[in-house]
Structures are given as C-alpha cells and as structure tokens.
Amino acid sequence: MKTLPLNFALLGAAGYIAPRHMEAIRATGNKLIAALDPSDSVGIIDSYFPDAHFFTEFERFDRHIEKMRRKDKSNSIDYVSICSPNYLHDAHIRFAFRSGATAICEKPLVLNPWNLDGLQDIEQATGRKAYNILQLRHHPTIMDLHQKHANSEKHLNIDLSYITSRGNWYLHSWKGDDSKSGGIATNIGVHFFDMLGWILGKHISTAVYLKTPTKVSGTTQFAKGTVRWFLSIDSNDLPKAARDKEQRTFRSIKIDNQELEFSGGFTDLHTTSYKEILAGNGYGLEDARQCIEIVYGIREAKISALSGDYHPYLKGSQ
C-alpha cells in the first residue's frame, strides 16, 4: 500500500471551487502532480503546487497520466479530484477509473439518476470507488441535528431560503445552460437537498411552484419533515437587511419557526471531507442517489399552481 504523499490529478483547475480541493490535498499531506482546465487562468496553483504539470487539452493530460502510470508505479495517480462542469462529472469519473485511480467529485455527482447506475457497474468491474463531496454532512451543527433526529418520529417543518447573487455572466456561462448545469436547484441547491434528506429521511414528493433561469421554489415532503424552499441567484431577492449590509449571499434555515444558526464553520469542510475519504469513510454513489433524484425531478417537473403550503417568499406572487 502506498504511503503519503499520495498523487492527485485535478480536472477543472480554474474553477471557483478548485482552490478548496488544492488546499485539502495539501492539508492532508498529499501532492498535486497534474491539473487540467481549458482556461489557462490558473495562477492560483502557484499558491499550492507550483511544480504541478498543467494542461489545457484533455488529450495531452490523458497521455501524461497514462505515461506516468506505465513508466513508474510510484508516479501513478492515486486520486482524481473532479471540479469540472457538472455535465462532465460522470465522464471524468470514468477517466479516473480507467487511470487506476479513485475519484473525488464535486456535487452534483452526476446530473441524472441513471448515470449512477452506469458508474456503479464500472465500480464493480474495476474495484475503484467514486466519492462525492457532501460537505454539509460534516458541518458540526448539521451533524448535531442529524444525530438528534436520527431516532425521532417528530415531523419537522422547515423553511430553506438561499440567495447567492450572481452577475450577468452566469446565464451566459455553462452554468446558465440547464443541460450542462442541471439548473438552479442542481447547481446551487443539491447539497441542501442532500443535507435535508440526511436529516429527514426518505423523499416522498416534491411540488415546484416557481422555476425561472434565476430562481426556483417548491415544497418537498420527506418521511420526517416538510420543507418549503426558495433558491435564487437574483440579488433583488435579498432581504433588505442583507442589502443594507451589502451582503451578496443570504442563507436561512428555519425549523419550526426557529432560525438554525450555522453561518460559520464552512471554512475547512472540504479538507474534512478529504480526510474522511482517505480514511475510507467517504460518501459514495449510493449516498448521493436521493439528492440527485430530487434535483432531477425538480428540473423535469411541471409548475404547480400556488395552493396549499409554499414558501413565504411566494406569498406576494399570487
């Protein structure tokens, strides 16, 4: 068995989330030896692994990884960290498996539930594993909540509001293309749906009341709770108090009308996720299935008329 440091490759090195993976690789005592991104705006690598080989073309990156694997086992890739656009995740997980490596993939793990089935078949055939970064499961407040309600039959009523402002560029990038990002619920909400399912159990049903390119809202029933949720990238949806403080992001979770305080504690969650994965305790394909099924269902859902129970932000839209 290899000893530290282990060798990592990274796909999507110029993306927003990539530095958290670089930090996690470094903090766990490992090294990044190769990185890929079509964009060459990757100077951030110098802050972590200045000796890493960098490629803008997948074919040359693939050739380099294969050459190292064949030349010297000590230089072969042990893990592939995947921070590429959402629609490429399943293909890049397969690349990791073909390279003899374990995959660590950002959320959403895949866009469609059936993609998980194919990856599970390849896992069994190759003996490799794919792990998903589900960092909210490592947040102390969320862990406490999960433990508190693990054996409880109490039905919770939750309001989730998440507004993370994005500029005009967003809709002109791959993130604004539902076929590539999965839409708002997938791109900015999948980790919340995972967290809610982790706490509230089996998903029962979801009604969608609002769906535009910049926002989506609905109500989801779980075995142990009802969640009214509102997700948006439109800064106009920010509460006045947030705008007055020039905050670009607003996050609120109310449980039975009581605000859940978890504004802090997010800094090192990727590193915690890596530590758990390296210890053999990561979250795999089946762990991600329910949240993938939920956001896929939202993407495909027809809009329901406003009736019954829905998010307070929609009250004025009748």
Side-chain angles (χ1 to χ4, degrees), residues 26-45:
R26 182 175 67 178
T28 52
N30 299 298
K31 61 180 180 179
L32 179 67
I33 61 174
L36 168 75
D37 202 288
S39 169
D40 59 8
S41 298
V42 290
I44 187 66
I45 295 177

Side-chain angles (χ1 to χ4, degrees), residues 265-314:
F266 290 90
T267 307
D268 300 319
L269 293 183
H270 274 71
T271 297
T272 301
S273 297
Y274 268 66
K275 288 178 179 178
E276 291 297 321
I277 290 168
L278 292 170
N281 301 320
Y283 293 111
L285 298 177
E286 200 57 36
D287 294 302
R289 184 176 294 276
Q290 177 164 273
C291 67
I292 297 300
E293 290 176 342
I294 292 172
V295 294
Y296 170 78
I298 292 170
R299 185 163 69 249
E300 297 297 316
K302 294 182 179 179
I303 303 301
S304 298
L306 285 175
S307 62
D309 203 16
Y310 49 88
H311 196 280
Y313 278 29
L314 299 183

Side-chain angles (χ1 to χ4, degrees), residues 105-300:
C105 187
E106 263 300 334
K107 59 209 162 295
L109 187 62
V110 293
L111 289 183
N112 306 302
W114 56 87
N115 298 141
L116 293 172
D117 300 332
L119 291 175
Q120 284 179 325
D121 290 343
I122 302 173
E123 273 192 338
Q124 293 175 4
T126 62
R128 300 296 169 187
K129 289 284 292 181
Y131 293 104
N132 200 190
I133 297 292
L134 300 173
Q135 75 267 33
L136 289 184
R137 295 195 187 196
H138 297 296
H139 192 289
T141 300
I142 303 305
M143 292 174 70
D144 289 345
L145 196 60
H146 170 71
Q147 185 174 12
K148 179 180 178 181
H149 292 282
N151 298 312
S152 172
E153 296 301 320
K154 182 180 179 182
H155 188 94
L156 301 179
N157 291 294
I158 297 178
D159 284 345
L160 166 67
S161 309
Y162 183 51
I163 303 159
T164 178
S165 307
R166 296 291 186 268
N168 292 329
W169 66 269
Y170 185 97
L171 296 179
H172 295 280
S173 73
W174 65 266
K175 295 182 180 183
D177 183 342
D178 284 10
S179 69
K180 293 181 177 181
S181 71
I184 295 296
T186 301
N187 205 46
I188 73 168
V190 66
H191 55 303
F192 287 112
F193 288 110
D194 172 72
M195 174 199 76
L196 293 165
W198 194 51
I199 295 167
L200 300 176
K202 181 178 175 58
H203 172 241
I204 305 300
S205 64
T206 293
V208 178
Y209 300 117
L210 173 70
K211 184 163 53 175
T212 75
T214 60
K215 65 194 77 177
V216 61
S217 184
T219 298
T220 297
Q221 300 287 343
F222 292 94
K224 294 191 287 185
T226 300
V227 182
R228 305 185 300 180
W229 46 270
F230 181 88
L231 308 169
S232 174
I233 60 167
D234 186 346
S235 61
N236 293 314
D237 291 321
L238 289 166
K240 184 177 183 301
R243 294 198 302 271
D244 289 345
K245 295 178 182 178
E246 297 185 349
Q247 293 177 352
R248 299 283 293 169
T249 297
F250 174 76
R251 181 192 299 110
S252 171
I253 295 180
K254 291 182 178 179
I255 302 177
D256 293 335
N257 291 319
Q258 297 296 313
E259 189 73 36
L260 177 70
E261 174 52 48
F262 77 126
S263 56
F266 290 90
T267 307
D268 300 319
L269 293 183
H270 274 71
T271 297
T272 301
S273 297
Y274 268 66
K275 288 178 179 178
E276 291 297 321
I277 290 168
L278 292 170
N281 301 320
Y283 293 111
L285 298 177
E286 200 57 36
D287 294 302
R289 184 176 294 276
Q290 177 164 273
C291 67
I292 297 300
E293 290 176 342
I294 292 172
V295 294
Y296 170 78
I298 292 170
R299 185 163 69 249
E300 297 297 316

